Every structure is written in structure tokens, then in C-alpha cells.
Amino acid sequence: MKRAFLSLPQPRRCPGKSGVWLAARLGAQTAFIGKVGADAFGRYLNEVLAENKVDVSGMAVDADHPTTMAVVSVDATGERDFSFYRSANADVMLCKEDISDEALKAAKIVHFGSVSLTADPSRTATLDAAARAKKLGATITYDPNYRANLWKNKEDAIGAQMKAPLPLVDILKVSDEELPLLTGTTDCESGTAQLAQNGIRLIFVTLGANGVFYRFGENTGHVAGVPCKVGDTNGAGDTFFGAALSKLCKEDLNTLTADKLEGILAFANKAASITTSRRGAIPAMPTLTEVEG
């Protein structure tokens, strides 16, 4: 039986890329591939994932480079700001050889984010793994996040790198902040139509408190958000996508209906609302009982 969800984002001492953890918590069989340093931070990340039933057999350890650090500060409204401590760190050293065909063959969904694309060798490793997985029949999912202090300049980030994986992608999640960076428009209808020209079958535009806009082939729609008192927005996007993928991994995109999709998105919106109402990211993420209750 295939593993439901294999995640390729770079590990870091920060709860941001935690969708794989949330998907595991919601019942999906998940695995994580990445590289950490032989230090306390790397051991901590490995232990947290393993304790939460994420398969970490694909986690490589680099004895020569430290685990990347990211510090998230949150203002009075719950909005976050990122500071990265990352220069030739372990996650950047992820190589093609670190990602086996066996791991990719075992996955129904292979997921990655754009932080993996900021530098080589991890950039080449991530794109190569996504291309291999696509050929092996996996569904490819992508979550581009623009973090200015990880890139030399915006033009290189967006034009050359963040857009590069789009022809490989089956399911894409962008925020309302990232949509204009990738398409030049804030309009969800025209922006997602532009992105869909890459062959992307399912696109989500998360709208914060306003929920999510989706494009599924020629069909578009909106699913309202779940109101909450904001504690911390960190992790909301990862919660949304992790929750959505925990359901979509059990579906066939060829037979998925709009009604079923909207039910999945309502589930993901509720999960994201619960995370947003609490402080922290991984500690704030809900259980299946909480989301379904």
C-alpha cells in the first residue's frame, strides 16, 4: 500500500513547514525527507516528527553543517515575521542522492515548498525528486512561500526559481499575498486561470479570515473561513494545506466532485482557524477530534 503523503521541504528549527506533521495527526500515513545537522536542533526536529508518527527514515544527517534556525516573531495582532539563520546549513546540502526512488515509489502524494529552492544542491535535489515522483505516478503538491531574506533578489526568486516547478505540479496552494507575485494580479479568477495554464489541476488561494478560493479545472468557487479570535497566524497556511491533503490523499482527482472538494476545504478551513486561535505553530495544531467536533 502506498504511503499517503511524502514531504520534501527543508527541515529547520521552526514550526513553519509543519503540514506533514498535521497530516499525520489527522490520520494520514506520512514521511519526511530532508537534512539536519548532527546537533541538538536536528535531533529535536527528528524526535518531534517521529513522536507524531511521521516516518523519518529518509532524514539525512550532515556532520559538517548545522541545522538551519528560523525565529518567528509575532505582533499584537497575531501576524508573524521571520528571521533566518541559514548560510550553507544542512538543509541546503540535501542532494539528489539523499532521495531514493524507493521512497518516491512508496508515496501517493509528494509535497514540497519553495524554501527548498533557494540554493543548490537542495534546489536541484527537490526539482529532481519531484520530476522522478511525477514519472512514478505520484501527485505533486507545491506551496510557494516568498521569504525575502532567503533570496538574493525578488526577480531571481519569483521569475527564475519559484515558478520553475509549476509544470510538474498537480495541486498548488498560494496565499493572497503570493498570487500577485506569481501572476501579476490580485484577482483570483484570472490569476488562477493563468497558473492553470501550466497544467495544474487544482489550485487553492488562501484568503486568511475570508477562507479559500479554488480552481478545479474550469470550475471555481469560494469556501468561507471559520471566524476566530486570532492568537498567532504562524502555521495557519501549513495547517490548511496539511488538513486538505490528509483528505485529498484518499481521493482520485479524476472522480472528485466539487461538492466533495468543498467539504474538504471546509474541513481545512476549520483546522486552520483552530491553529490561528492559539499561540505557536506545531503546538497549536488541532487533533482530528477537534476538527470534526
Side-chain angles (χ1 to χ4, degrees):
M1 183 173 65
K2 284 203 170 190
R3 179 184 294 115
F5 184 15
L6 171 66
S7 183
L8 292 167
Q10 298 171 334
R12 56 190 191 266
R13 180 64 174 92
C14 161
K17 283 294 180 194
S18 43
V20 64
W21 184 91
L22 188 276
R25 193 168 190 179
L26 296 180
Q29 186 182 4
T30 65
F32 185 93
I33 290 177
K35 183 171 280 190
V36 295
D39 49 39
F41 298 129
R43 290 191 293 274
Y44 170 78
L45 176 60
N46 199 74
E47 289 168 4
V48 167
L49 291 174
E51 286 170 2
N52 288 279
K53 301 180 180 179
V54 177
D55 181 348
V56 292
S57 58
M59 182 85 81
V61 177
D62 190 319
D64 299 319
H65 300 89
T67 304
T68 292
M69 292 279 289
V71 176
V72 184
S73 58
V74 182
D75 65 20
T77 68
E79 289 300 321
R80 69 262 159 84
D81 184 63
F82 294 87
S83 297
F84 291 90
Y85 297 84
R86 181 177 184 247
S87 178
N89 283 24
D91 63 322
V92 179
M93 299 300 152
L94 184 71
C95 299
K96 292 192 293 185
E97 294 74 21
D98 293 320
I99 306 172
S100 69
D101 281 340
E102 287 69 27
L104 300 175
K105 287 176 184 176
K108 182 175 181 180
I109 290 176
V110 172
H111 171 75
F112 64 97
S114 59
V115 173
S116 301
L117 306 178
T118 56
D120 269 325
S122 66
R123 175 191 299 150
T124 296
T126 300
L127 293 174
D128 175 76
R132 282 190 282 148
K134 183 89 169 180
K135 289 181 180 178
L136 291 167
T139 296
I140 308 301
T141 71
Y142 177 43
D143 181 3
N145 289 282
Y146 178 64
R147 304 283 181 250
N149 52 3
L150 288 179
W151 298 92
K152 293 180 180 179
N153 56 69
K154 183 182 287 189
E155 291 71 26
D156 178 66
I158 298 163
Q161 307 303 340
M162 289 177 66
K163 291 182 179 179
L166 294 178
L168 294 171
V169 176
D170 298 295
I171 304 175
L172 174 72
K173 185 201 81 71
V174 297
S175 72
D176 52 356
E177 296 175 344
E178 292 145 0
L179 181 67
L181 294 178
L182 293 173
T183 66
T185 180
T186 58
D187 182 74
C188 291
E189 285 275 357
S190 60
T192 57
Q194 183 184 143
L195 291 168
Q197 292 176 5
N198 291 281
I200 304 170
R201 302 179 66 185
L202 181 55
I203 302 171
F204 306 134
V205 183
T206 52
L207 306 170
N210 293 321
V212 60
F213 175 93
Y214 71 86
R215 176 177 290 278
F216 185 29
E218 296 299 319
N219 300 314
T220 61
H222 173 260
V223 178
V226 178
C228 71
K229 182 178 179 180
V230 176
D232 181 353
T233 60
N234 189 37
D238 290 320
T239 298
F240 170 86
F241 208 18
L245 292 178
S246 76
K247 297 291 188 182
L248 288 168
C249 68
K250 302 169 186 176
E251 302 291 335
D252 182 342
L253 291 183
N254 293 314
T255 58
L256 181 66
T257 65
D259 284 346
K260 186 67 176 286
L261 175 60
E262 291 194 0
I264 290 171
L265 296 181
F267 173 87
N269 281 345
K270 185 174 180 182
S273 176
I274 294 171
T275 294
T276 304
S277 71
R278 302 168 176 171
R279 293 199 173 274
I282 283 181
M285 289 184 171
T287 63
L288 183 60
T289 300
E290 287 178 303
V291 183
E292 292 184 337

